[in-house]
Amino acid sequence: MWQSSPPGSIYDYIRVASFSIGPDGLIEQWSRRAAGLFGVAAHEAVGKDPVETFLPGEARREGRRRVGEVLDGKEWTGLVPFRMPGEDGVHGLAEIYVMPSETATGERAAVCIVVDVRALRRIETDLAASQAIFGQSPFGFVLFGTDLTVVRANERFATVFGGRPDDHRGRTVDDYLTGTEADRLTATLERVLETGSSVTDLQLVGTAPGDTERRHWSMNLYRVHSGSGRPIGIAGLATDVTRRHTAAREAASARRNLALLNEASARIGNSLDLETTARELLDVAVPVFCDLASVDLYQALLTGEEAAPGSWSALPRDAAGGSAELRRVAFASAVSDALPHPASEAGPPGGAADPPELGAVHRYPFGSPCAFALRTGRVADVPGDDRGFVQSTLAVPMVAHDTVVGLVRFSRTKGSEPFDDRDRALATELAARAAVCIDNARLYRREHERALILQRSLLPPGAPEAAGLDIACRYLPGNTANEIGGDWFDVIELPGHRTALVVGDVMGRGLRAAVAMGELRTAVRTLALLDLEPAEVLSALDEVARGLGAPSASGGGGAQWPARAAHKSREADLSEVYLATCVYAVYDPVTRRCTFANAGHLPPVVVEPGEAALLLDVPPGMPLGVGGEPFEEVEVELKEGALLALYTDGLVESRDHPLDEGLAALRKALVEPAQPLEDVCDRVLGSLHTRHGEDDIALLMARIQGLPTEAVGDWRLPREPRSVARARELARGQLTAWDLDDLVDTTELLVSELVTNALRYGEGEIRLRLLRDRTLVCEVWDAGLVQPRRRRARDTDEGGRGLQLVGLLSAAWGARRTPRGKTVWFELPLPDGRPAAERSVEELLSMF
């Protein structure tokens, strides 16, 4: 079939020309290419002697000889210099092939084929350069034709994909890549061929023949054109970037791991709750690090047992028992329809194969990787599940302070990269950080529970009872997560059916404040039992507080001053904890009078029936622990049914509003004091507690209910011997009126002893008082200052056994100072219908 050669053939590059020489040695024909090569038109060349026209002078002699030989019938090929017409001194070099020919008449002529040697040399140079670049390139070089088949490949390309370079001719993309990668490269080749736009750094992934490792190539593609500009194919330069990709992936993995650890530091351990800390760990790990994760903690740790929950040596090693009991406290998944974990790895104690649900208690079989991780404290690989859903799982023990507290499992599903050594190290670090936080939470919870038990043990249990008072109390911590603070209240029974009401606030929070509160409260109780006046109690308590907070004396020379400075700094912090405020009140139900003393505390509130709430004007004094100033007392007579409120500043003061507003709100909340006292407390807290949230609250409320007149017997006796008999007579008559006949004999005996002691050792007028409430109290007053002292009488003594008798027959007895002398008292329980217990022989003989 005849077919025209496309533009850009080889002849366009080598510039082949022709002309003919007649029998006379002159030019007969002159082609257009010859005119282009020599720069002479046909009408200028035809009929001319080629030797004289084109050859330089020094070559003409040899030229005539060669022309003669050709006309004699000899072929000749050689290089001939020629002079460019019109260009002085410019010579060219042509390769001429001269072929003898004959005319129609039989004369000899010649046909000359001429090639410009300069064009040939350029082609040779270009071919050599192309061969060097294509064949010697260290990169894979491949040339695709317009049909997207391989036209040529270099040695480097063949080294990667096998065979010799010529073996790759005619192959397609599908012979090197599979699936989406082949389709992507084919589409890119078509686009480059169509548009002529080059593509750089096309990332391709595949495997070389006989190799299972995934390799990464970067490929540059550009369209190749002929000399005339016609597209003839696509050149591709491929570079193996597997190492670079691996390094970049490792760098990205390292950056991700660092970012993950940084996030773990910020997010894990923000709460001192065990379950919350476990969930925080999974929030960090899923889905950035893994697709599935779960946390199991030892049941012993969650229940607060003192024994180390995960001591490696303590784990059971019997195949039936497996690991110790664990509870699944957290689970997270980044994929839908995901099982918690392979069923072969965990099950409830009953032996069921189902994975444990969230919150379930389970064991790991002894031979399982999870039990191995718990037993050894090392990371273990867990096989994938039967469904092929999970391809890689790490069982990582949570180790804190050489103790295993639980197990965290990280899993990756099919399609994700399996865990490598770097991932194992990261998983271990994440689990260790969470384990430390969990162990800290465990220790905090243990110490918090102890402190809470301590504080609750120091507060009055339930609703305290007191003679002539209806009492209700509340204690609310400032932070529900930490129920430990320095606020306290107390109700202390005093002799004579009197009651001490105490509310205090230690500056500071937490365990130290609670310990300080306990020490001060104990001191208050001790001082109250001495039956001191309120101002004296606070003065003594101030000394106690200063002693607790004062730096201890330390010796040593000047070389010890850094240690002493640090010690003083710590002691200064401790002294701040023992600064406290306190209000101490003593209520007498007989007179309905209440005596107050204040140490820097907020004033009490009194609400009398039909009146508005008032703040009692009690001099505040200095806080406990400051010292240097005496405390003043204020005595107030309270009406029947009046309401008394003692409180701490957490109830009325916060950052949201000043103290005056809080006090006004408290007074407003006490507008209906006639309601049940518990309801009044709830209304006060409902009105004011929502505004505090920053400090503890202690609220002690008491409704005044004085002893009725008929429950009090009060007599004054002259200082004479017959007053002893008169005292017995008065006591007998009063007890008979109260229907307490069972107590007559004992009361007469003990009253006789106390009045006799008042006559013998006391001074001035004698006063006898009987009080009936929950118990019977007898008091004997005189003006003497000598306190009675109980002693053991000798066998030969005729007296000295009266106070022993009082101590033996009464439930309690004691003596206290009064402004004008002293009071000696004893207390008897009211009969409950059962016969009185008989005294043992030892008890009776103890008086002798």
Side-chain angles (χ1 to χ4, degrees):
M1 173 179 284
W2 292 91
Q3 180 178 357
S4 299
S5 297
S9 65
I10 187 64
Y11 301 105
D12 294 334
Y13 292 96
I14 62 177
R15 300 176 66 183
V16 177
S18 65
F19 63 91
S20 62
I21 301 176
D24 55 0
L26 301 179
I27 297 174
E28 287 187 343
Q29 293 180 338
W30 190 257
S31 68
R32 292 181 179 178
R33 283 188 176 267
L37 175 63
F38 293 102
V40 178
H43 67 277
E44 296 177 351
V46 173
K48 299 290 182 67
D49 184 355
V51 175
E52 294 293 335
T53 303
F54 298 105
L55 294 183
E58 65 273 11
R60 290 176 183 175
R61 182 177 178 180
E62 180 65 21
R64 290 191 184 95
R65 187 177 68 80
R66 293 293 182 184
V67 171
E69 291 177 355
V70 171
L71 293 178
D72 289 339
K74 183 179 180 181
E75 293 186 358
W76 179 81
T77 302
L79 297 178
V80 178
F82 63 92
R83 178 173 53 84
M84 300 294 291
E87 297 182 8
D88 298 336
V90 179
H91 292 199
L93 185 64
E95 186 176 62
I96 300 180
Y97 177 36
V98 182
M99 297 173 291
S101 63
E102 294 182 356
T103 64
T105 59
E107 293 179 303
R108 292 181 177 178
V111 176
C112 300
I113 304 298
V114 184
V115 177
D116 188 351
V117 175
R118 292 176 301 177
L120 290 177
R121 295 296 178 266
R122 286 195 301 270
I123 293 174
E124 290 175 355
T125 302
D126 292 345
L127 288 176
S130 175
Q131 182 62 29
I133 294 174
F134 197 87
Q136 301 175 22
S137 172
F139 307 109
F141 209 108
V142 61
L143 180 63
F144 295 94
T146 55
D147 59 352
L148 303 186
T149 60
V150 176
V151 175
R152 187 177 180 185
N154 69 347
E155 190 68 33
R156 177 60 181 168
F157 187 87
T159 301
V160 175
F161 290 99
R164 298 174 302 170
D166 291 342
D167 295 339
H168 294 272
R169 296 182 184 274
R171 292 185 178 180
T172 64
V173 172
D174 294 326
D175 295 322
Y176 305 103
L177 301 174
T178 58
T180 57
E181 293 294 287
D183 296 339
R184 193 159 62 91
L185 179 56
T186 300
T188 303
L189 291 173
E190 292 174 348
R191 186 172 68 255
V192 172
L193 184 62
E194 179 181 356
T195 64
S197 300
S198 301
V199 173
T200 59
D201 197 21
L202 176 65
Q203 297 292 318
L204 299 172
V205 181
T207 55
D211 191 3
T212 58
E213 181 183 359
R214 289 165 59 92
R215 307 195 67 82
H216 297 260
W217 293 286
S218 173
M219 198 165 192
N220 298 330
L221 301 171
Y222 57 93
R223 192 169 68 182
V224 179
H225 304 85
S226 65
S228 62
R230 178 177 59 88
I232 60 174
I234 305 166
L237 181 65
T239 305
D240 191 333
V241 294
T242 303
R243 291 184 179 179
R244 186 177 71 187
H245 182 82
T246 302
R249 183 178 61 186
E250 291 179 353
S253 176
R255 288 193 299 270
R256 182 202 65 183
N257 292 351
L258 288 176
L260 195 62
L261 290 176
N262 182 63
E263 185 179 8
S265 300
R267 297 181 59 183
I268 298 177
N270 292 323
S271 169
L272 289 174
D273 180 74
L274 300 177
E275 291 81 356
T276 301
T277 302
R279 289 193 296 269
E280 290 170 347
L281 168 62
L282 300 193
D283 291 340
V284 171
V286 179
V288 178
F289 178 69
C290 61
D291 301 315
L292 301 170
S294 63
V295 176
D296 299 319
L297 298 180
Y298 278 110
Q299 180 71 358
L301 180 145
L302 295 170
T303 55
E305 296 182 13
E306 289 295 327
S311 177
W312 301 336
S313 60
L315 288 178
R317 294 179 177 271
D318 56 293
S323 68
E325 286 188 343
L326 300 107
R327 185 193 304 172
R328 179 144 298 179
V329 297
F331 173 75
S333 172
V335 294
S336 58
D337 301 331
L339 291 175
H341 275 299
S344 60
E345 274 302 304
D354 293 335
E357 298 292 335
L358 188 63
V361 178
H362 65 96
R363 297 177 185 267
Y364 286 109
F366 177 77
S368 66
C370 292
F372 171 82
L374 290 169
R375 186 168 59 252
T376 62
R378 298 197 296 267
V379 181
D381 293 309
V382 180
D385 58 1
D386 298 335
R387 301 184 307 164
F389 179 73
V390 175
Q391 72 161 350
S392 180
T393 297
L394 296 178
V396 186
M398 306 178 74
V399 184
H401 308 112
D402 295 332
T403 298
V404 179
V405 299
L407 183 79
V408 57
R409 293 162 51 105
F410 302 106
S411 299
R412 289 179 178 173
T413 58
K414 293 296 183 180
S416 300
E417 293 186 1
F419 293 109
D420 56 19
D421 292 339
R422 190 188 300 271
D423 294 327
R424 292 169 68 93
L426 178 60
T428 302
E429 180 65 21
L430 289 175
R433 295 193 180 198
V436 170
C437 295
I438 287 175
D439 193 54
N440 290 340
R442 177 182 67 86
L443 295 175
Y444 167 79
R445 184 172 66 179
R446 184 186 66 184
E447 298 304 321
H448 174 261
E449 288 177 351
R450 291 177 178 176
L452 192 58
I453 292 173
L454 168 64
Q455 184 174 37
R456 289 177 176 173
S457 67
L458 295 175
L459 295 175
E465 295 182 356
L469 292 176
D470 181 14
I471 296 177
C473 52
R474 296 288 188 274
Y475 175 80
L476 298 176
N479 183 358
T480 56
N482 181 7
E483 300 180 9
I484 305 173
D487 290 13
W488 91 92
F489 64 90
D490 207 348
V491 178
I492 307 171
E493 294 187 51
L494 300 177
H497 287 315
R498 294 170 305 131
T499 303
L501 304 175
V502 189
V503 169
D505 184 1
V506 176
M507 298 181 184
R509 298 181 184 176
L511 180 59
R512 297 174 68 188
V515 171
M517 177 271 290
E519 293 176 331
L520 293 178
R521 178 181 180 274
T522 302
V524 170
R525 277 194 161 262
T526 302
L527 294 170
L529 293 178
L530 296 177
D531 209 356
L532 303 176
E533 296 297 324
E536 294 178 319
V537 170
L538 292 186
S539 296
L541 191 62
D542 179 63
E543 293 293 333
V544 172
R546 282 194 292 164
L548 294 173
S552 59
S554 59
Q560 302 295 326
W561 71 266
R564 285 207 308 269
H567 182 58
K568 288 181 179 179
S569 176
R570 290 192 297 270
E571 289 173 338
D573 294 339
L574 183 62
S575 66
E576 292 181 2
V577 173
Y578 286 104
L579 291 177
T581 63
C582 179
V583 60
Y584 185 89
V586 175
Y587 171 69
D588 188 342
V590 178
T591 62
R592 293 200 309 274
R593 301 185 70 85
C594 190
T595 305
F596 297 90
N598 192 350
H601 204 79
L602 294 174
V605 178
V606 173
V607 187
E608 294 186 344
E611 302 291 339
L614 296 175
L615 297 177
L616 289 181
D617 186 13
V618 180
M622 299 298 292
L624 300 176
V626 176
E629 294 293 334
F631 297 97
E632 300 182 36
E633 293 181 357
V634 172
E635 188 176 63
V636 179
E637 183 175 353
L638 303 174
K639 295 182 179 180
E640 185 76 16
L643 190 64
L644 175 64
L646 305 178
Y647 53 93
T648 56
D649 57 357
L651 182 66
V652 295
E653 187 177 20
S654 74
R655 297 177 182 177
D656 298 333
H657 61 274
L659 177 61
D660 292 342
E661 292 185 9
L663 292 174
L666 173 61
R667 295 170 59 190
K668 183 178 180 180
L670 296 173
V671 293
E672 298 180 5
Q675 291 185 349
L677 203 54
E678 294 291 337
D679 295 343
V680 176
C681 284
D682 293 338
R683 185 174 69 253
V684 169
L685 293 179
S687 302
L688 301 176
H689 172 53
T690 55
R691 290 200 252 170
H692 98 287
E694 301 169 359
D695 199 0
D696 305 332
I697 289 179
L699 175 63
L700 178 61
M701 304 191 73
R703 177 172 283 118
I704 303 303
Q705 297 174 351
L707 288 181
T709 304
E710 60 271 15
V712 178
D714 194 352
W715 306 275
R716 297 182 183 274
L717 302 173
R719 190 171 187 80
E720 55 187 31
R722 63 178 182 178
S723 294
V724 176
R726 178 59 178 164
R728 288 199 298 268
E729 180 183 354
L730 293 172
R732 184 188 315 111
Q734 186 64 67
L735 293 182
T736 302
W738 287 342
D739 294 329
L740 297 178
D741 296 334
D742 294 341
L743 300 180
V744 169
D745 294 339
T746 302
T747 303
E748 282 189 356
L749 176 60
L750 299 184
V751 165
S752 176
E753 290 293 334
L754 294 187
V755 173
T756 300
N757 283 342
L759 289 173
R760 181 177 299 179
Y761 304 107
E763 298 177 5
E765 186 181 39
I766 299 174
R767 182 181 177 187
L768 173 64
R769 190 167 74 168
L770 295 178
L771 306 176
R772 186 195 67 182
D773 192 70
R774 290 174 298 151
T775 60
L776 176 67
V777 174
C778 175
E779 298 176 334
V780 175
W781 306 48
D782 68 80
L785 298 178
V786 180
Q787 295 288 322
R789 181 173 60 88
R790 183 176 178 180
R791 65 183 178 86
R792 180 175 295 276
R794 291 174 297 186
D795 294 344
T796 58
D797 292 342
E798 296 181 359
R801 298 180 180 85
L803 293 181
Q804 284 184 305
L805 185 64
V806 173
L808 179 64
L809 299 180
S810 65
W813 78 280
R816 69 177 185 274
R817 290 183 301 149
T818 65
R820 297 193 179 108
K822 68 176 180 297
T823 300
V824 183
W825 58 271
F826 66 84
E827 183 176 342
L828 295 175
L830 298 182
D832 55 4
R834 293 179 294 181
E838 295 290 338
R839 300 291 177 178
S840 66
V841 176
E842 289 78 6
E843 291 176 330
L844 294 174
L845 291 178
S846 65
M847 297 184 293
F848 298 94

